[in-house]
């Protein structure tokens, strides 16, 4: 890889990491190409990105994006996205199904985090689930009011 190619990769990753709310570092040693493609497909569905990057290039890009505090060692695949919960769900769900894929550490909401925090974020309800819960709460009083009106109508019809 030439210096200009490395500089381009660093520039692209720096811009991506500046926009990302979470960056998760995982070990992928021993995974087949088809499994990695399945991970990429899963990430694309949740608006996250996945890439294998050399540790030195990733460290420089993270420093440029003002993310410090996590040391990269061994083989790493990076999963990042704008939504911390959906990105954590991608990594945790894939790790659950593949024992060779291990979450090492992360930046969640631009703060260093360990694998346990990523797992905790993955268990939180996503945006769509929260909107559904909110709609249900808002509809509760209306639902109860209509049930009460229907009961009143039935009582008057019987009388």
């Amino acid at each position: 890889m030439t210096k200009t190619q490395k500089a381009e990769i660093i520039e692209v990753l720096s811009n991506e990491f500046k926009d990302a709310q979470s960056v998760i570092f995982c070990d992928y040693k021993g995974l087949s190409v088809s499994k990695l493609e399945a991970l990429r497909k899963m990430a694309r569905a949740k608006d996250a990105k996945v890439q294998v990057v050399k540790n030195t290039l990733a460290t420089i890009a993270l420093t440029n994006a003002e993310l410090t505090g996590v040391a990269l060692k061994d083989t790493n695949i990076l999963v990042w996205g704008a939504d911390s919960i959906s990105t954590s769900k991608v990594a945790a769900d894939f790790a659950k199904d593949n024992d060779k894929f291990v979450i090492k550490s992360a930046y969640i909401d631009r703060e260093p985090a360990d694998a346990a925090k990523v797992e905790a974020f993955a268990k939180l309800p996503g945006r769509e689930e929260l909107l559904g819960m909110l709609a249900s709460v808002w509809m509760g009083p209306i639902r109860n009011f209509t049930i009460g009106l229907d009961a009143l109508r039935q009582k008057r019809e019987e009388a």
Side-chain angles (χ1 to χ4, degrees), residues 56-119:
T56 53
L57 299 179
T59 302
I60 294 168
L62 288 166
T63 304
N64 291 347
E66 298 173 0
L67 296 171
T68 56
V70 174
L72 300 178
K73 299 175 189 166
D74 301 325
T75 57
N76 289 302
I77 187 166
L78 281 65
V79 181
W80 71 90
D83 182 19
S84 297
I85 294 173
S86 65
T87 306
S88 297
K89 283 182 189 266
V90 168
D93 290 347
F94 194 76
K96 205 181 301 178
D97 297 336
N98 299 285
D99 58 340
K100 293 181 181 177
F101 185 82
V102 179
I103 299 170
K104 293 180 178 179
S105 59
Y107 290 104
I108 294 184
D109 293 330
R110 308 194 59 81
E111 296 291 325
D114 59 352
K117 190 169 183 179
V118 174
E119 297 283 339

Side-chain angles (χ1 to χ4, degrees), residues 4 35 55 90 124 148 150:
T4 56
K35 297 265 186 184
N55 289 342
V90 168
L124 293 173
D150 189 48

Side-chain angles (χ1 to χ4, degrees), residues 2-15 57:
T2 65
K3 285 186 178 184
T4 56
Q5 290 173 327
K6 290 178 184 179
E8 289 174 8
I9 290 172
I10 291 170
E11 182 66 31
V12 169
L13 288 176
S14 296
N15 291 333
L57 299 179

